[in-house]
C-alpha cells in the first residue's frame, strides 16, 4: 500500500493548473453509451475513478483508447447491457450507466454501486424517477434488472435534488420518446456540462442549472468532441492548502464562480484572494480567523466535497467553529485521524465542533475516503514534523499525483511504497 510522507512547515509558492472535473468527466463518460459514433474527450485526468469508468465502458463492448491526453470512445459495437458487481462496487458513478443503457438498449442489469464510505448513499431517487418514466424494475440478489421497452416521456419530481439521479434521468431521457421533465433537480455545474456535451452531440436538453430540466427525445446522437469543465473541488483544495500552509499561489484553469461559496468564506477569514478570468491568486501569510458556522448544502451552497478540507483548516484557525454536514451521514470519519495530530474537534452525529489550536503535530494517519484523505494531507503540510498518510488509494481516485503538484509549489511530500 502506498503512502505519503510529508515534512510539514514549508510554505506554498508558485503556479498550478487544475484538471478537468472528475464529477463532470464521469457522467459524460457514462453518457457516451448513448452514441454509436466516435466521441473525443479532451484533457483526460489521471484519476483512478476515471480509469474504472473506462473499464466499465469497455466491458459493455465500447472501444476506448487514449492518445496523449485525449480519450477516443466508439460505441458502435456496444452490445452488452450488464454491469457485474466486481466493476460496480469500485465506483459509485457506475450507477450513471443505468440511464444511458436504458436509453440505448431499453434494458439493463446492473449491480448496486460502491464508492466512498461516507454514508448510506441509497439510489431510491434514481429508481423512482425511472419507474415514473415507465421502466419496470426488479431488484434481486444484489442486481437491478430493468425493462424499459415501455419507457416514455413524462414528469419526474425528485424529492431531493440528487446530482446522480438528475444526471441518470437526463441520460434516460435523451433517446426516450416524447418529453421528459425533471422537477426539483440538482443545479451543480457538472450537470450543466453534461447537458452542453449531450446537446453538442444532437440531444435536446434545456434548463440544466435551474430546478427544472426538459429533455425532448431525439432518434440518435452523432459523434463530436468535448473538454469537460475544470474541477472546482481540486481548485478549492489547493486554495485551502495555501490557507493552511501559507504562501502565494496562482491557480489556473478555474471557473471561480463555481466555488464562490468557498472564496467568500476564505476572504472573510483573512485570506487575500484575487480573481481574473480563469485564474485565481491566493495569498496567506498569517493565521486565519475561524469560519464560525458552516453547513454543507446542494449547489450553490457550500459543497460537501470541500467539508473535510475546510474542517482541517478550522483546526488551526483562531477561535472556534461549528460545521454541519447535511448531505452524508458519516462524512466525519477522518476526524479521529486529525485528533491524532493534535486537533481539538468533537463530533456529535452530523455536527463537528472545532476549537482552533496553535499547531498540529505530525503523526501516522489513515485516509478513510477521498476528501477525508486529502484533508489529512493538508493537515500534514502545516503540521510540525513528519506525517505519514496511509491508504492513499482513496486520494488517487480524484487527484492526479497530488504529491507532484504540491512538490512543484515547494511542499516536502513524497509517495513511498
Ligand atoms: C455527487 C458527487 C459527489 C458529491 C455529491 C453531493 C459525482 C460523481 N459525485 O454524488 O462527489 O459529494 O454529488 O454534491 O458527481 N440520495 C438519496 N437517494 C438517492 C440519491 C441520493 O437519498 O437515490 C441522497 C444521498 O444519500 C445524499 C444526497 O441525496 O444524502 C445527495 O446525494 P447525490 O446528490 O445523489 O450525490 P451523488 O450523485 O452520489
Amino acid at each position: 500500500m502506498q503512502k505519503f510522507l510529508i515534512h510539514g512547515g514549508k510554505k506554498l509558492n508558485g503556479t498550478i493548473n487544475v484538471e478537468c472535473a472528475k464529477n463532470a468527466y464521469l457522467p459524460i463518460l457514462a453518457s457516451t453509451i448513448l452514441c454509436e459514433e466516435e466521441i473525443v474527450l479532451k484533457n483526460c485526468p489521471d484519476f483512478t475513478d476515471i480509469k474504472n469508468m473506462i473499464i466499465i465502458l469497455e466491458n459493455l463492448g465500447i472501444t476506448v483508447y487514449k492518445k496523449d491526453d485525449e480519450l477516443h470512445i466508439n460505441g458502435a459495437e456496444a452490445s452488452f447491457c450488464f454491469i457485474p458487481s466486481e466493476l460496480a462496487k469500485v465506483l459509485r458513478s457506475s450507477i450513471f450507466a443505468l440511464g444511458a443503457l436504458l436509453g440505448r438498449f431499453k434494458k439493463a442489469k446492473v449491480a448496486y454501486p460502491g464508492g466512498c464510505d461516507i454514508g448510506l448513499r441509497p439510489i431510491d431517487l434514481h429508481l423512482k424517477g425511472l419507474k415514473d418514466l415507465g421502466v419496470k424494475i426488479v431488484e434481486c440478489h444484489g442486481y437491478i434488472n430493468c425493462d424499459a421497452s415501455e419507457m416514455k416521456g413524462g414528469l419526474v419530481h425528485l424529492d431531493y435534488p440528487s446530482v446522480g439521479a438528475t444526471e441518470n434521468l437526463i441520460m434516460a431521457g435523451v433517446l426516450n420518446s416524447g418529453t421528459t421533465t425533471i422537477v426539483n433537480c440538482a443545479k451543480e455545474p457538472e450537470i450543466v456540462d453534461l447537458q452542453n456535451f449531450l446537446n453538442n452531440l444532437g440531444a435536446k436538453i434545456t434548463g440544466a442549472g435551474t430546478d427544472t430540466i426538459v429533455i425532448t427525445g431525439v432518434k440518435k446522437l452523432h459523434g463530436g468532441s468535448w473538454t469537460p469543465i475544470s474541477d472546482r473541488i481540486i481548485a478549492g483544495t489547493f486554495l485551502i492548502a495555501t490557507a493552511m500552509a501559507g504562501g502565494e499561489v496562482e491557480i489556473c484553469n478555474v471557473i471561480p464562480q463555481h466555488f464562490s461559496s468557498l472564496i467568500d468564506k476564505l476572504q472573510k477569514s483573512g485570506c487575500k484572494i484575487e480573481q481574473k478570468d480563469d485564474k485565481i491568486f491566493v495569498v496567506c501569510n498569517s493565521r486565519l480567523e475561524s469560519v464560525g458556522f458552516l453547513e454543507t448544502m446542494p449547489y450553490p451552497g457550500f459543497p460537501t466535497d470541500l467539508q473535510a478540507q475546510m474542517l482541517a483548516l478550522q483546526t488551526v484557525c483562531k477561535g472556534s467553529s461549528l460545521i454541519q454536514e447535511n448531505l452524508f451521514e458519516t462524512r466525519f470519519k477522518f476526524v479521529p485521524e486529525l485528533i491524532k495530530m493534535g486537533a481539538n474537534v468533537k463530533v456529535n452525529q452530523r455536527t463537528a465542533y472545532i476549537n482552533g489550536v496553535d499547531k498540529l503535530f505530525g503523526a501516522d494517519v489513515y485516509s478513510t475516503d477521498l476528501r477525508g484523505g486529502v484533508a489529512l494531507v493538508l493537515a500534514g503540510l502545516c503540521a510540525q514534523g513528519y506525517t505519514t498518510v496511509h491508504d492513499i488509494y482513496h486520494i488517487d481516485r480524484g487527484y492526479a499525483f497530488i504529491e507532484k503538484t504540491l512538490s512543484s509549489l515547494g511542499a516536502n511530500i513524497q509517495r513511498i511504497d
Side-chain angles (χ1 to χ4, degrees), residues 254-274:
V254 296
I255 308 169
Q257 60 269 34
H258 286 176
F259 50 101
S260 56
S261 57
L262 172 69
I263 294 171
D264 177 59
K265 298 247 175 292
L266 290 180
Q267 282 175 327
K268 286 185 178 136
S269 300
C271 252
K272 268 181 68 187
I273 299 177
E274 281 169 25

Side-chain angles (χ1 to χ4, degrees), residues 22-24 26-27 49 91-93 95-96 118-128 158 160-167 186 188 190 232-233 297-299 303-305 325-329 331 350 370-371 397:
K22 168 176 90 69
N23 289 353
L26 289 171
D49 269 9
L91 186 67
R92 165 82 182 171
S93 309
I95 193 65
F96 297 158
I118 52 177
L120 283 175
R121 306 193 84 176
I123 51 165
D124 55 317
L125 298 170
H126 300 239
L127 302 187
K128 184 178 167 292
L158 289 176
Y160 183 88
S162 151
V163 175
T166 302
E167 292 171 334
E188 270 66 1
E190 293 77 15
R232 61 195 165 102
I233 305 302
M297 302 283 273
Y299 189 84
T304 176
D305 287 351
E325 171 56 57
N326 291 321
L327 275 86
F328 296 108
E329 305 86 344
R331 220 171 184 176
R350 286 172 177 251
L370 167 57
R371 309 301 172 185
R397 287 188 36 226

Side-chain angles (χ1 to χ4, degrees), residues 67-113:
K67 195 174 162 213
D68 302 322
D69 64 352
E70 279 183 4
L71 274 188
H72 292 249
I73 301 158
N74 196 318
E77 305 294 325
S79 50
F80 296 102
C81 40
F82 171 60
I83 302 182
S85 76
E86 61 269 25
L87 296 183
K89 73 179 179 209
V90 294
L91 186 67
R92 165 82 182 171
S93 309
S94 57
I95 193 65
F96 297 158
L98 180 57
L101 285 171
L102 296 178
R104 171 124 178 226
F105 299 110
K106 308 297 173 210
K107 60 178 182 177
K109 178 177 178 181
V110 302
Y112 289 100

Side-chain angles (χ1 to χ4, degrees), residues 27-99:
I28 285 176
L29 272 173
S31 75
T32 64
I33 294 170
L34 291 163
C35 184
E36 295 176 44
E37 296 178 17
E38 185 176 82
I39 293 168
V40 179
L41 297 181
K42 303 198 175 166
N43 297 354
C44 179
D46 225 337
F47 305 152
T48 324
D49 269 9
I50 291 183
K51 290 179 190 150
N52 285 327
M53 183 60 101
I54 291 171
I55 294 171
I56 288 176
L57 294 183
E58 287 174 332
N59 203 55
L60 297 169
I62 296 173
T63 311
V64 186
Y65 73 90
K66 201 170 176 188
K67 195 174 162 213
D68 302 322
D69 64 352
E70 279 183 4
L71 274 188
H72 292 249
I73 301 158
N74 196 318
E77 305 294 325
S79 50
F80 296 102
C81 40
F82 171 60
I83 302 182
S85 76
E86 61 269 25
L87 296 183
K89 73 179 179 209
V90 294
L91 186 67
R92 165 82 182 171
S93 309
S94 57
I95 193 65
F96 297 158
L98 180 57

Side-chain angles (χ1 to χ4, degrees), residues 244-255:
M244 290 181 76
E248 299 187 6
V249 174
E250 183 181 45
I251 308 174
C252 303
N253 186 33
V254 296
I255 308 169

